[in-house]
Amino acid sequence: MKIINFADTPSLVSRYMMELRDITIQHDPMRFRRNLDRIGEIMAYEISRTLDYKNVEVTTPLGPCICQTPADKVVLATILRAGLPFHHGFLSYFDSAENAFVSAYRRYREKGGDTFDVLIEYLASPSIEDKTLLLVDPMLATGSSMELAYRALLSKGTPAKIHVASVIASQQGVDYVASHFPEGTTLWVGAIDAEVNAHSYIVPGLGDAGDLAFGVKD
């Protein structure tokens, strides 16, 4: 699996990552969502450079012109709910992509406990057969939610190419995706953190991305 870690080459992504992590900034939900959005836009641009392209002829007011446009049929998929602003950033660039949504949630075995099962409740997706699948979710902690979302999407076909994108990943999550996704998958991350704690949250991470973007859930 090819891994592109934006932290290896400092850019504006580093600035947006800092704001997402900073407890004095991150509690502004609008700014938090916008930073997820902006990182999604940058990753979308970088992914666009890996696609196949074809020539098309268009007519300007002064005559014909040969231009390039992506030949890949892109399906942009995300995991509800934290993935929505990140997804929006990708969609701003891949504005003609088809879209897919998967709900994955933790069902704790005991109230207040640390052990849980990840369940899929909802899937809305076009066919992904022979298309380029972009599976995006801001946090890649253990990797189990990402894999279950991918397995659910396989009910809609087998993609030709797979790109997985996260804002922050744990090393455990990276290793899990590398061992559970097909060969040739590319993983794009803003940063890789070393640890996952007993609650399966990335450390230092940034906290609960869904709560920070949309409010604390009951």
Side-chain angles (χ1 to χ4, degrees):
M1 183 179 71
K2 186 176 182 180
I3 302 170
I4 291 88
N5 183 358
F6 282 76
D8 292 337
T9 307
S11 67
L12 278 175
V13 171
S14 300
R15 168 71 186 189
Y16 305 147
M17 292 288 296
M18 180 273 289
E19 293 191 3
L20 285 172
R21 292 184 189 265
D22 190 337
I23 196 170
T24 65
I25 298 174
Q26 65 174 203
H27 292 299
D28 177 349
M30 184 169 66
R31 187 162 186 161
F32 188 85
R33 291 192 301 269
R34 181 57 183 135
N35 281 327
L36 290 178
D37 192 334
R38 292 193 286 191
I39 294 173
E41 290 174 347
I42 293 170
M43 288 188 177
Y45 170 74
E46 293 298 331
I47 291 173
S48 77
R49 300 173 64 196
T50 73
L51 302 182
D52 295 324
Y53 285 77
K54 61 184 178 182
N55 291 333
V56 296
E57 183 176 295
V58 300
T59 302
T60 80
L62 299 178
C65 177
I66 301 298
C67 300
Q68 289 190 322
T69 190
D72 298 45
K73 295 180 178 179
V74 174
V75 176
L76 175 58
T78 198
I79 302 174
L80 301 174
R81 67 178 169 152
L84 290 174
F86 194 40
H87 180 100
H88 184 266
F90 278 86
L91 190 58
S92 293
Y93 279 35
F94 290 108
D95 55 359
S96 61
E98 296 177 284
N99 292 265
F101 299 93
V102 183
S103 74
Y105 74 98
R106 297 179 178 186
R107 185 177 67 184
Y108 286 88
R109 297 174 186 174
E110 295 180 5
K111 187 174 182 179
D114 294 329
T115 58
F116 59 86
D117 299 307
V118 178
L119 301 181
I120 301 291
E121 263 194 343
Y122 171 84
L123 169 67
S125 174
S127 170
I128 63 171
E129 183 68 32
D130 205 32
K131 297 177 183 177
T132 296
L133 175 65
L134 276 56
L135 180 53
V136 308
D137 188 51
M139 308 302 287
L140 179 61
T142 65
S144 57
S145 295
M146 196 74 83
E147 184 206 6
L148 285 175
Y150 170 66
R151 297 296 174 194
L153 287 162
L154 288 180
S155 66
K156 303 299 182 179
T158 302
K161 303 175 188 175
I162 304 169
H163 296 271
V164 176
S166 290
V167 174
I168 299 177
S170 72
Q171 187 59 55
Q172 177 183 333
V174 170
D175 294 342
Y176 189 92
V177 168
S179 63
H180 287 78
F181 275 68
E183 185 177 352
T185 297
T186 303
L187 175 62
W188 305 76
V189 294
I192 299 174
D193 290 353
E195 298 180 37
V196 175
N197 67 14
H199 298 284
S200 296
Y201 281 100
I202 302 169
V203 179
L206 52 75
D208 189 306
D211 287 357
L212 291 167
F214 297 112
V216 178
K217 56 187 174 294
D218 185 2

